[in-house]
Amino acid sequence: MSGKDYKPDFYINSDKSIAVQALSANSKSYAEVLRDSTFYIFNDLKLAEQKLQTVAILDDEETNLWSDVDFTLFKANNFPVLYWTQQEEIAETLNRL
């Protein structure tokens, strides 16, 4: 854990705590920066609070910026990656966590 004080875009507090990070970019290079920083934030948050769930929601209006391959590490660490246009999947995932 790095000891940094992270502020995800928002928290959902119910019977479980969920940190949500929304990723929106206008270039591939900035999308990569957001992806990498979000991954490190999620790792640090998970180490600090084991019960905290994390979710990344991608703005997929720019379809050429995000690919599933870009988020292999997220999936390997059980950090859900969702797409904004798939509202039902977002709701189901948040309810399931």
Side-chain angles (χ1 to χ4, degrees):
M1 188 168 65
S2 70
K4 292 184 179 180
D5 184 27
Y6 295 112
K7 293 184 171 100
D9 289 329
F10 58 95
Y11 282 98
I12 299 171
N13 291 312
S14 56
D15 16 329
K16 295 184 179 181
S17 293
I18 304 169
V20 179
Q21 190 72 18
L23 284 73
S24 181
N26 56 8
S27 72
K28 184 71 172 168
S29 60
Y30 185 56
E32 291 169 358
V33 168
L34 287 175
R35 177 203 62 210
D36 294 347
S37 64
T38 299
F39 179 76
Y40 290 116
I41 289 169
F42 282 4
N43 268 321
D44 271 3
L45 289 173
K46 193 68 167 176
L47 289 171
E49 188 180 336
Q50 294 293 318
K51 294 181 181 182
L52 178 69
Q53 302 292 320
T54 56
V55 175
I57 300 178
L58 308 180
D59 176 359
D60 54 347
E61 289 183 6
E62 292 289 336
T63 57
N64 60 338
L65 296 181
W66 313 107
S67 74
D68 287 339
V69 173
D70 290 332
F71 291 92
T72 304
L73 285 174
F74 281 72
K75 293 173 184 172
N77 286 279
N78 296 317
F79 300 147
V81 176
L82 306 170
Y83 292 91
W84 183 250
T85 57
Q86 298 172 354
Q87 298 287 308
E88 286 184 28
E89 184 179 355
I90 292 171
E92 290 171 10
T93 300
L94 293 175
N95 285 327
R96 187 175 56 245
L97 296 175

